[in-house]
Amino acid sequence: MYDRRVVRGNTYALQTSVLPGQPDPIEIQRQQQAKRRALAKKRAQEQLRPRTPEPVEGRKHVDVQTEIYLEEIADRIIEVDMECQTDAFLDRPSTPLFIPAKTGKDVATQILEGELFDFDLEVKPMLEVLVGKTIEQSLLEVMEEEELANLRASQCAYEELRNVELAEVQRLEEQERRHREEKERRKQQQWEVVCQHTETAQKVAARAFAQRYLSDLLPSVFSSLRDSGYFYDPVERDIEIGFLPWLMHEVDKTMEYSMVGRTVLDMLIREVVEKRLAMYEQKENQPPTRKPEDELGGSGGVTEPPAGYEQSPAQPQGPLVDRDPLERRPDDGRYTENVVSQERKLLEEEEYEQARIRSTSGREVLQPREDLEP
Amino acid sequence: MAHARISMCLPPDINPTQAAIAYGCRALPKLNQELQSEDLLTRQKALMALCDLMHDPEHVYTAIDIGCLESLKALLKDSNDMVRIKTTEVLYIMTTHNVGREGFLEHDVILALSYLLNDPQSDCRKNLHLAFKHVAQLPSGAQGIVKSGLIPSLVWNLQREEEEIQVLLLDTLAACLMEDSTEALSSRVVPFLKQKLLSTNNDIRSKAARTLIAVSIPLEGKNQVWQHDVIPILVHLLKDSVEEVQANAAGALMYAMVTTQGKYAALDTEAIQPLMGLLDSSLSKARLNATKALTMLAEAPEGRKFLKPYVPIFRILENDTSEAVRRAAKIAIKVIEWKP
């Protein structure tokens, strides 16, 4: 109901003015009220409508039936109590077949042979359909089975082929593997053989090279040894070891002999000289001039025996020559003789011996040389 | 008053053991609900109805779509035998269709099924193994079985099961081992297969030989086959009465003889003669496998020496009907006449 005091709708919105097309809500309310008033009026007027007047006093209005047949109108229904008892032990009987009562007119008709339809003709299409459907169904089933059998057969064939192909593949794999292994083995063998070959070749080459290299070694070693003097010539060695010592020994001996000889000679000369000296001294008391020549010769002989002795085999006059220088010197060396004569003797003896040895060796050397020369 | 049911005799095409199948697209959802009901009878009737419906691949697809597999997985752990048998049957029928197999792999049903491997009911186990066999036909299914680690238990069961189930197990194992045989090899599958090779049942022998083919594809398998002395048995089987067995034995030999030890083991047991006999068998598979096996033998020098006089037979084989046999014969001749 529209009451202007109660604001409906959005209060924030401005109160819009009523659209011209729509009726005013106030108007609607007024119309409704008017309608109600009209209804109430109508009802009131209904009530005011004239009705049957009230019965006069002493009389009663009674409803009476005016139809032909009277109808009993009673408030209470006539009731009669009736009892009924079913037999307790009886089973419910089976429902009888419901045969509806015959209604309507009985009409009979008689169909004679051939009037309605020809069975054989009519049945053909039906039979065809029936039989056809049955056969179709069975054909379908049989075909299905055949298809299944074919599928299975092709599956088997496929499986066979697959097995065979797989076996073939495996066989080829196996073959490949064997061949490869064989090849590997052979390659290995060949490789070993080649290795051995190269090794032997290298060994041979190394040996040949070593031999060649070392072939010089021996001569070079020998030559270097020989150059550094590790080898000796046996003849030389023999000469050096055996011959030369003996030679030297012999030379020594010869020298010694000559020295001894000289010493003896010197002694002799000394004795002679001493005797002559003594004689001369005796004579000097008479003539002192002649004797120094002998002494000089003697001393000369003393100092130059090797030269003298070297020439001695060719010059038997040697000693005389020696004697003369000996004889000449004592004049100068009178004093020296007297003072150093003893020392000299010793020295001279040694020198004599050495000189003698040398001379003997020299003689002997000379002799073999002379022997060798021709 | 009239009732809806007119007479006590039921119409002839209602199966009292089956639940009523609702019309059209409501059939499967309603059955799914019934599967989850608490009442045993309802569940059983629903399962029977499901069995019938699952022959149609479209129903299989719808069923997987609305999640029947979850309810079926729950039912696998039911205590009632009938329920379990029927559930496994439903699952087995589903695996005959590819949609079903893929659904299996997505919803991890293999693992749920594996709990029933030791079920006391043999029917249950039979359905279970049928389901596994069909799953294993699919390569991804076989991988799924291998990945869920079922191979050792399957191999173990091979020993203990009855013959029918052994046949199914061998089929499953053959398919799975084609994918991956490492787990099986470590769970001693070769000795078990060796025993099976000597069984009296033809099917078992031929399937055991086929499983051996799968086992001896990897190198480890070949070594194990040689170590356990299976080769003499295989050579003996080459003279078996059943052609299928001969063909499979030749196939197993073909793989086992790739290794040198295998070759010499086979030569020691005189394998050449029976293999030559197989060359004019009627099964093309037998001819093919025998030719390939002889090719393997011809790799060895002794084999080549033996086979040299038989080259004309291979030349005849070159005009064989099957393309594969022709190729194999050509390769065989080439190998026999190879000079180092």
Side-chain angles (χ1 to χ4, degrees), chain B residues 20-308:
Chain B
I21 301 180
Y23 184 73
C25 61
R26 279 296 305 159
L28 283 165
K30 185 149 185 299
L31 282 175
N32 197 8
Q33 275 173 348
E34 284 181 10
L35 280 177
Q36 293 161 356
S37 95
E38 301 292 324
D39 183 27
L40 181 65
L41 194 58
T42 322
R43 290 206 296 265
Q44 288 178 341
K45 282 166 41 162
L47 277 171
M48 302 277 307
L50 209 56
C51 273
D52 269 347
L53 281 180
M54 287 295 114
H55 284 279
D56 188 355
E58 298 206 6
H59 286 145
V60 174
Y61 173 73
T62 328
I64 296 180
D65 216 18
I66 58 178
C68 265
L69 281 175
E70 301 296 327
S71 7
L72 286 171
K73 273 205 292 195
L75 281 178
L76 279 173
K77 301 196 184 75
D78 198 286
S79 45
N80 187 295
D81 293 336
M82 192 65 199
V83 169
R84 284 203 305 273
I85 293 176
K86 276 290 151 191
T87 315
T88 45
E89 194 178 326
V90 167
L91 287 170
Y92 143 61
I93 297 176
M94 278 171 126
T95 51
T96 52
H97 302 286
N98 197 25
V99 199
R101 291 194 279 261
E102 305 213 332
F104 261 50
L105 290 172
E106 271 175 26
H107 291 262
D108 232 0
V109 178
I110 301 176
L111 205 53
L113 272 177
S114 62
Y115 291 121
L116 289 179
L117 270 174
N118 300 323
D119 195 277
Q121 286 289 325
S122 77
D123 275 336
C124 191
R125 288 200 306 269
K126 182 154 157 263
N127 289 336
L128 174 76
H129 287 295
L130 271 169
F132 275 154
K133 174 180 153 191
H134 283 113
V135 168
Q137 300 288 338
L138 195 63
S140 43
Q143 283 218 344
I145 294 185
V146 171
K147 267 192 226 151
S148 44
L150 279 179
I151 308 270
S153 23
L154 285 177
V155 172
W156 175 240
N157 277 348
L158 190 58
Q159 281 294 91
R160 311 179 306 156
E161 288 281 3
E162 320 158 342
E163 292 211 345
E164 287 181 7
I165 303 190
Q166 279 183 12
V167 171
L168 299 167
L169 261 175
L170 283 170
D171 263 333
T172 319
L173 276 175
C176 290
L177 264 53
M178 282 277 182
E179 289 293 316
D180 178 17
S181 7
T182 43
E183 269 195 42
L185 284 169
S186 51
S187 51
R188 301 190 63 231
V189 72
V190 177
F192 290 157
L193 285 176
K194 190 171 146 189
Q195 284 172 3
K196 297 285 160 272
L197 281 176
L198 301 163
S199 111
T200 46
N201 189 326
N202 291 341
D203 271 338
I204 291 193
R205 282 206 304 274
S206 81
K207 289 193 195 298
R210 190 163 152 260
T211 318
L212 260 178
I213 293 182
V215 159
S216 38
I217 290 179
L219 185 60
E220 176 60 30
K222 289 194 244 279
N223 288 339
Q224 277 204 11
V225 160
W226 173 71
Q227 269 168 5
H228 287 109
D229 283 329
V230 185
I231 299 188
I233 305 183
L234 285 172
V235 173
H236 173 73
L237 277 181
L238 285 174
K239 309 181 200 101
D240 199 271
S241 46
V242 177
E243 288 211 345
E244 184 74 25
V245 176
Q246 288 174 347
N248 286 337
L253 268 177
M254 160 178 94
Y255 274 113
M257 291 200 293
V258 172
T259 56
T260 323
Q261 319 149 324
K263 280 203 248 286
Y264 282 105
L267 281 172
D268 286 337
T269 50
E270 300 286 329
I272 299 195
Q273 287 306 324
L275 283 172
M276 298 300 301
L278 265 187
L279 280 180
D280 28 73
S281 139
S282 51
L283 260 188
S284 80
K285 183 161 112 166
R287 291 199 297 271
L288 194 57
N289 289 348
T291 320
K292 270 278 165 268
L294 285 169
T295 317
M296 301 290 169
L297 274 181
E299 290 275 332
E302 287 85 3
R304 218 174 292 139
K305 204 171 54 178
F306 268 129
L307 287 172
K308 254 276 178 6

Side-chain angles (χ1 to χ4, degrees), chain A residues 92 95 152 155-156 159-168 170-171 174-175 177-179, chain B residues 137 178 210 213 217 222 254-255 258 260 284-285 288-289 292 295-296 299 324 327 331 335 338:
Chain A
R92 181 176 166 275
T95 320
R152 199 150 293 287
Q155 263 181 5
C156 282
E159 201 177 306
E160 267 173 47
L161 262 177
R162 178 175 172 260
N163 280 347
V164 161
E165 288 296 314
L166 200 58
E168 181 66 23
Q170 287 187 345
R171 182 189 70 83
E174 185 66 25
Q175 203 186 46
R177 188 189 64 84
R178 268 181 308 135
H179 285 203
Chain B
Q137 300 288 338
M178 282 277 182
R210 190 163 152 260
I213 293 182
I217 290 179
K222 289 194 244 279
M254 160 178 94
Y255 274 113
V258 172
T260 323
S284 80
K285 183 161 112 166
L288 194 57
N289 289 348
K292 270 278 165 268
T295 317
M296 301 290 169
E299 290 275 332
R327 235 180 329 170
I331 297 179
V335 170
W338 178 77

